[in-house]
């Protein structure tokens, strides 16, 4: 049983008086394997004195990168997840077990998208949007 989750966030979701802000974009049920994951930043992030911005996706906490590795979302729109080098530590081709990543057999799994900025806090952002596509397989 395959299912596709689609979640869109804008710069406003990452607003904080800090240079790092993580949010939960999805919570997967137990026995749910991730078989594909893409981040589609359709509008680059901009704002104030922000001189660099990266986005990563993981499960253990804010700042983790098991699913999608940190990638630049400030200089241009970008699709991440279509190359092995863009995948996080648990989603690379070498790490995939039976064609995917099974974070938990017994409990739910929160998926965190974490935004990191340089030059100013994330609250300085004034534009930007990312859609996350999560392809899953339920046991």
């Amino acid at each position: 049983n395959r299912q596709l989750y689609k979640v869109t966030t804008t710069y406003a979701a990452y607003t904080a008086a800090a240079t790092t802000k993580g949010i939960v974009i999805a919570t997967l049920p137990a026995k749910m394997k991730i078989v594909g994951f893409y981040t589609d930043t359709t509008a680059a992030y901009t704002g104030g004195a922000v001189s660099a911005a990266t986005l990563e996706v993981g499960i253990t906490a804010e700042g983790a990168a098991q699913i999608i590795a940190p990638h630049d979302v400030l200089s241009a729109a970008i699709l991440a997840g279509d190359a092995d080098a863009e995948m996080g530590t648990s989603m690379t081709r070498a790490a995939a077990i039976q064609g995917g990543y099974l974070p938990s057999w017994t409990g739910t799994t929160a998926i965190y998208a974490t935004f990191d900025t340089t030059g100013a806090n994330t609250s300085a952002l004034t534009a930007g949007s990312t859609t996350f596509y999560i392809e899953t397989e339920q046991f």
Side-chain angles (χ1 to χ4, degrees):
N1 293 330
R2 291 218 175 177
Q3 183 174 357
L4 179 67
Y5 292 84
K6 180 181 174 185
V7 179
T8 300
T9 61
T10 67
Y11 70 95
Y14 304 101
T15 298
T19 57
T20 297
K21 173 67 176 176
I23 61 170
V24 175
I25 58 167
T27 302
L28 302 180
K31 298 179 180 75
M32 182 74 76
K33 179 168 59 173
I34 301 169
V35 295
F37 202 106
Y38 299 90
T39 64
D40 185 13
T41 299
T42 55
Y45 290 82
T46 60
V50 174
S51 58
T54 60
L55 183 65
E56 67 252 11
V57 181
I59 65 157
T60 54
E62 187 176 283
Q66 296 96 343
I67 299 172
I68 295 287
H71 59 283
D72 176 20
V73 292
L74 187 72
S75 59
I78 182 172
L79 173 66
D82 60 339
D84 202 47
E86 299 166 342
M87 303 310 292
T89 56
S90 296
M91 289 289 293
T92 61
R93 195 174 310 261
I97 306 296
Q98 295 190 31
Y101 173 38
L102 180 63
S104 179
W105 188 257
T106 59
T108 60
T109 300
I111 298 178
Y112 294 85
T114 303
F115 206 94
D116 298 298
T117 57
T118 302
N121 290 337
T122 60
S123 58
L125 295 169
T126 57
S129 177
T130 301
T131 299
F132 301 88
Y133 297 91
I134 311 163
E135 185 181 6
T136 62
E137 188 173 89
Q138 178 76 52
F139 289 92

